[in-house]
C-alpha cells in the first residue's frame, strides 16, 4: 500500500543538495517517487508502507547531512522561514562587523585610496587572523558541515566550492602569518587573503539573506490561503451558541456565521440570507447571494446577514483544504525543465574544481611563473564565481510564483509540469453543456400523450429523474418539484451515459432519453412526436422522450443558455493561434446553433463520453497537443487521455481531482488566463536559465583571466541567485483578463 508524505528539509544550499537527497532516497527499497524542491525547502515522497517507513526515509536524509521532519502543519513553514531569516540576519550582522576592519585595511593595497587613513592595527596579520577565525570556523561552520556530508556521500555541492576557496585563502594567509615570525621585517610586507575569506563568507550570507526574503515573497499566495483558515467556529447546540475549535466540529453539526465573519467549514445553509465574498476561492470579485439550500465554503467572508448552516465536510476535506493541498503539491513538484538543471548540477561542481586547478596551473607555470600568490588568487576567484544555485532556482521559483498567481484567480495546477505543458498545446477541445453553456438548463416545452394526465406523467418522470446529476435531469426535476408536492420512490434507477436514465415506478418501466437512444434500440417514434422533436431541435433545444412500458408517452424540451463569456474566450483562444473544437452529446442542430453563436467552426455532435476520448486520440495522432476542457462529471475519460485535462465548475460542483488543472469558477476565460500564465511562466523559466548559463559562461572565463578580484566574485555569486528569484517575482504582475 502506497502513501505520499511531505517533508520539511533544512540544510540545502544549492540544487546539487536537492539532487543528492533525491538520489539517496530513491535507492531505498519501496520508494517509488521522490521530489525535492530547493525553492520551497520541501520534499514529496511516495513509498510502499509494507517495504519502508517514513522514519527510515527521514533517517536516510539526516544521515547524508540534512535536516528532515514530517510537515504536520504546513502553515508552520512560514514561521520557520522567518526564524531562519532572523538567524541569517544575526550571522550576517556579526560577519559584517568582523569584516569591516579587514575591508578598511584592504584600501591600503590601492594607490588611489592612499588619502584614506588606515590604522596600523588593521594591517597587523595577527589582528586579521583573530577577526577571520570566527568568520571562517564559527559563522562558516555550516559550509564545512555541508561540504563534508557531500564528499562523504561521493558528491559535490556549492558548499564544497565555498570551503575550498575560503580555506585556501585562510590557510595560506595563516601559513604566511606564522612564517612572518621568522622574518626580520614585521610590517606586513606580504599579501594576505584574510579579507578574501571574510568577504566571501559575508557576501554569501548576504545573498542567502536576500534570497530567503525574496523566496518568502514567492510563497505569498499559499500564505494567503493559510490565512483564510479559521481556528474556531460558533456551534449552535441546545439553543446556545458555543465557540469551539474547528477540529472538534463534525459533519452534521450546526454552525452560525455572523456578519463579517469567516465561514469556518463547508456546509449547506438552513436559515438566513446574506451575501458572501468568495473571491479568495474563485477569483470572482462580485459577492454571491446565499440563502436556505445554498452551499457555503470555508474561508469565504459573510458580508452582512447572519447565516446558520449544517456542516457537510470536516476541516481536512473542505474545498479550501483541497485547494491548499493542490497548490502545495504543484509547488513541491518539478516541471520537466527542472530535470535539465538537475543533470547539469550533478557535474557542475567537479567541472568547476577542474577548471580552477587548470587556472592555477596556467598562472603558476605560464602567465606568472612561480608567483604562488597570483595563481592562488585566480584559483579562489574561479571557485567562488561559479554558481549552481541560480540553475537550481531557475524553474522552481517560477513555478511557485506562477502557480500562486493562478491560485489567486481560482486556477489550480495539480503539478508543476502542467504549468509548463499547458502553454505548449495547439488545440482546445471543449465540452458544451456546463462549460460553454451555463449547465443550468430549464424546461421550455412539455408535451404529454392523451393517455396520461400531466400530473401523472410528471410523477413518473420526476420519480426516475429525482436522483440524476446531469444538468438536463436536474432541470426536469426542478420543474417537476415546482408542480408536484410529493414524489414516490423509484426502483432500479440507472443512468445511461450519453442518453438518459431509466427506472421502475408503480410497476411501470420508465425510460427518459434522447431520440438517439430509441433509434438505436429500434423503438419507433410516432410521426407527430418526430415532427415536434424536429421543431424543438431547430430552436436549439435539447429534447428528451419519455417511454412508459415501451410506449411513447411525452416530450420534454430543455434549453441551456450560453455563457456570456464563452464567445469572448473562444475569440481570445483564436487570437493566440489555438484551434478550438466543441464536443457534445447533443444532436447536430443544437451543436451547430451553439457553435455558430460562439464562433466555433469545428464541432462534433451526438457523441458519447467515451467517444470524446477517442476523438482526442485522433487529434493527437494528427500531431496536435490537446487540452480537454470539461465539467469533470461525464468528461473523465476525455480529461484523462488529453495532454492536459481542465475541469471547470464552481464550488463543490467541480470535481477537483478529475483534471490536471481545476478552474474553480465557471468562467471559460479562466482557461485562457491559465494558458497565458503558463506561457509567461515558460518564458520566465527560459529567462532564468539563460541568465544562469550566461552568468557562468561569462564570469568563469573572466575569473580565469584574472579580471576579477575574489571579493567581487563573492559579491557576484551571491547576487546571481537573488536575481533569478527577483525575475521570477515578475510573474506576480501577470495581467489577468
Amino acid at each position: 500500500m502506497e502513501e505520499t508524505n511531505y517533508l520539511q528539509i533544512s540544510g540545502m544550499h544549492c540544487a546539487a543538495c536537492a539532487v543528492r537527497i533525491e538520489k539517496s532516497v530513491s535507492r531505498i527499497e519501496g520508494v517509488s517517487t521522490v521530489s525535492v524542491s530547493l525553492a520551497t525547502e520541501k520534499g514529496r515522497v511516495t513509498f510502499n508502507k509494507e517495504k519502508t517507513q517514513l522514519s527510515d526515509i527521514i533517517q536516510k536524509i539526516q544521515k547524508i547531512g540534512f535536516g528532515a521532519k514530517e510537515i504536520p502543519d504546513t502553515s508552520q513553514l512560514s514561521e520557520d522561514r522567518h526564524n531562519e531569516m532572523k538567524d541569517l540576519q544575526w550571522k550576517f550582522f556579526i560577519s559584517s562587523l568582523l569584516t569591516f576592519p579587514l575591508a578598511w585595511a584592504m584600501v591600503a593595497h590601492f594607490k588611489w585610496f592612499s588619502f584614506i587613513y588606515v590604522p596600523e592595527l588593521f594591517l597587523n596579520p595577527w589582528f586579521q587572523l583573530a577577526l577571520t577565525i570566527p568568520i571562517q570556523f564559527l559563522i562558516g561552520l555550516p559550509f564545512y558541515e555541508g561540504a563534508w556530508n557531500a564528499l562523504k556521500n561521493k558528491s559535490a555541492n556549492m558548499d564544497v566550492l565555498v570551503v575550498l576557496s575560503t580555506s585556501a585563502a585562510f590557510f595560506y594567509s595563516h601559513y604566511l602569518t606564522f612564517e612572518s615570525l621568522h622574518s626580520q621585517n614585521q610590517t606586513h610586507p606580504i599579501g594576505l587573503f584574510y579579507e578574501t575569506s571574510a568577504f566571501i563568507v559575508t557576501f554569501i550570507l548576504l545573498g542567502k539573506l536576500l534570497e530567503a526574503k525574496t523566496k518568502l515573497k514567492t510563497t505569498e499566495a499559499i500564505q494567503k490561503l493559510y490565512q483564510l483558515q479559521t481556528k474556531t467556529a460558533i456551534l449552535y447546540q441546545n439553543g446556545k451558541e458555543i465557540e469551539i475549535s474547528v477540529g472538534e466540529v463534525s459533519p452534521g453539526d450546526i454552525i452560525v456565521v455572523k456578519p463579517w465573519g469567516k465561514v469556518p467549514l463547508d456546509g449547506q445553509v438552513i436559515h438566513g440570507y446574506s451575501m458572501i465574498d468568495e473571491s479568495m476561492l474563485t477569483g470572482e470579485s462580485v459577492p454571491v447571494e446565499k440563502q436556505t439550500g445554498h452551499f457555503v465554503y470555508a474561508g469565504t467572508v459573510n458580508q452582512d446577514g447572519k447565516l446558520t448552516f449544517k456542516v457537510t465536510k470536516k476541516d481536512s476535506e473542505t474545498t479550501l483544504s483541497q485547494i491548499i493541498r493542490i497548490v502545495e503539491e504543484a509547488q513541491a513538484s518539478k516541471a520537466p525543465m527542472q530535470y535539465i538543471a538537475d543533470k547539469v548540477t550533478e557535474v557542475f561542481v567537479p567541472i568547476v574544481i577542474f577548471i580552477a586547478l587548470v587556472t592555477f596551473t596556467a598562472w603558476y607555470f605560464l602567465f606568472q611563473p612561480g608567483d604562488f600568490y597570483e595563481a592562488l588568487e585566480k584559483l579562489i576567484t574561479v571557485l567562488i564565481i561559479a554558481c549552481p544555485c541560480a540553475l537550481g532556482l531557475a524553474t522552481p521559483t517560477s513555478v511557485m510564483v506562477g502557480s500562486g498567481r493562478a491560485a489567486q484567480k481560482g486556477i489550480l495546477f495539480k503539478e508543476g509540469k502542467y504549468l509548463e505543458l499547458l502553454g505548449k498545446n495547439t488545440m482546445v477541445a471543449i465540452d458544451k453543456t456546463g462549460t460553454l453553456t451555463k449547465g443550468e438548463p430549464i424546461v421550455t416545452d412539455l408535451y404529454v400523450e392523451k393517455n396520461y394526465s400531466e400530473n401523472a406523467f410528471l410523477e413518473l418522470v420526476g420519480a426516475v429523474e429525482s436522483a440524476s446529476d446531469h444538468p438536463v435531469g436536474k432541470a426536469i426535476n426542478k420543474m417537476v418539484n415546482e408542480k408536484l408536492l410529493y414524489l414516490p420512490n423509484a426502483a432500479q434507477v440507472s443512468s445511461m451515459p450519453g442518453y438518459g436514465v431509466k427506472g421502475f415506478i408503480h410497476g411501470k418501466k420508465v425510460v427518459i432519453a434522447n431520440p438517439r437512444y430509441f433509434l438505436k434500440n429500434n423503438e419507433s417514434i410516432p410521426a407527430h412526436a418526430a415532427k415536434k422533436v424536429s421543431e424543438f431541435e431547430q430552436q436549439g433545444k435539447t429534447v428528451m422522450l419519455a417511454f412508459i412500458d415501451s410506449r411513447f408517452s411525452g416530450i420534454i424540451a430543455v434549453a441551456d443558455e450560453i455563457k456570456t463569456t464563452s464567445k469572448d474566450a473562444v475569440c481570445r483562444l483564436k487570437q493566440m493561434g489555438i484551434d478550438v473544437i466543441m464536443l457534445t452529446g447533443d444532436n447536430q442542430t443544437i451543436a451547430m446553433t451553439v457553435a455558430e453563436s460562439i464562433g466555433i467552426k469545428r464541432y462534433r455532435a451526438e457523441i458519447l463520453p467515451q467517444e470524446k476520448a477517442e476523438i482526442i486520440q485522433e487529434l493527437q495522432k494528427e500531431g496536435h497537443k490537446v487540452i480537454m476542457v470539461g465539467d469533470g462529471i461525464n468528461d473523465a475519460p476525455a480529461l484523462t487521455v488529453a495532454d492536459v485535462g481542465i475541469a471547470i465548475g464552481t464550488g463543490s460542483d467541480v470535481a477537483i481531482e478529475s483534471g490536471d488543472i481545476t478552474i474553480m469558477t465557471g468562467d471559460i476565460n479562466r482557461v485562457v488566463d491559465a494558458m497565458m500564465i503558463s506561457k509567461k511562466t515558460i518564458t520566465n523559466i527560459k529567462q532564468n536559465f539563460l541568465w544562469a548559463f550566461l552568468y557562468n559562461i561569462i564570469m568563469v572565463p573572466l575569473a580565469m583571466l584574472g579580471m576579477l578580484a575574489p571579493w567581487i566574485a563573492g559579491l557576484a555569486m551571491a547576487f546571481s541567485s537573488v536575481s533569478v528569484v527577483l525575475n521570477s517575482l515578475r510573474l506576480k504582475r501577470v495581467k489577468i483578463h
Side-chain angles (χ1 to χ4, degrees), residues 114-183:
S114 58
F115 63 91
I116 298 177
Y117 168 72
V118 179
E120 190 69 26
L121 176 65
F122 290 2
L123 296 172
N124 188 298
W126 297 98
F127 177 73
Q128 292 189 4
L129 173 64
L131 290 177
T132 311
I133 284 175
I135 298 175
Q136 184 72 30
F137 299 108
L138 296 178
I139 296 173
L141 180 61
F143 297 120
Y144 280 95
E145 291 175 339
W148 168 247
N149 288 320
L151 295 173
K152 188 170 63 174
N153 289 278
K154 299 177 182 179
S155 63
N157 60 5
M158 190 67 207
D159 291 332
V160 173
L161 297 181
V162 174
V163 166
L164 284 175
S165 56
T166 58
S167 296
F170 177 84
F171 285 111
Y172 177 64
S173 301
H174 177 273
Y175 164 76
L176 292 180
T177 300
F178 279 87
E179 185 69 20
S180 67
L181 288 172
H182 307 293
S183 173

Side-chain angles (χ1 to χ4, degrees), residues 7 143 158 344 391 399 409 459 466 673 699 703:
L7 300 173
F143 297 120
M158 190 67 207
V344 173
L391 282 172
V399 169
K409 292 298 178 180
E459 182 181 86
S466 62
D673 293 337
M699 300 302 276

Side-chain angles (χ1 to χ4, degrees), residues 376-391:
L376 183 63
E377 183 182 65
K378 306 305 181 287
L379 177 141
I380 292 170
T381 306
V382 171
L383 286 174
I384 208 63
I385 196 69
C387 183
C389 299
L391 282 172

Side-chain angles (χ1 to χ4, degrees), residues 707-727:
M707 300 176 69
L708 298 173
W711 69 272
I712 294 177
L715 187 62
M717 190 277 286
F719 280 94
S720 63
S721 55
V722 175
S723 62
V724 166
V725 182
L726 288 172
N727 183 55

Side-chain angles (χ1 to χ4, degrees), residues 34 106 199 217 219 266 314 331 385 399 446 474 482 527 536 585 651 657 724:
V34 56
M106 191 175 69
F199 265 119
K217 292 182 180 179
T219 61
D266 289 5
K314 61 182 181 180
Q331 294 188 344
I385 196 69
V399 169
L446 177 66
K474 287 182 178 180
E482 289 173 354
F536 292 145
E657 298 295 338
V724 166

Side-chain angles (χ1 to χ4, degrees), residues 468-525:
S468 175
D469 285 329
H470 193 277
V472 172
K474 287 182 178 180
I476 295 172
N477 194 40
K478 183 179 179 181
M479 182 267 292
V480 171
N481 287 330
E482 289 173 354
K483 291 178 177 286
L484 303 179
L485 297 175
Y486 169 78
L487 283 176
N489 292 324
Q492 301 178 39
V493 176
S494 61
S495 63
M496 301 176 290
Y499 296 114
V501 67
K502 62 183 177 181
F504 287 85
I505 180 75
H506 298 326
K508 299 178 183 291
K509 181 183 179 182
V510 180
V511 179
I512 307 131
N514 55 40
R516 287 185 294 112
Y517 173 81
F518 300 102
L519 293 173
K520 174 189 171 187
N521 290 280
N522 297 317
E523 295 191 43
S524 61
I525 301 173

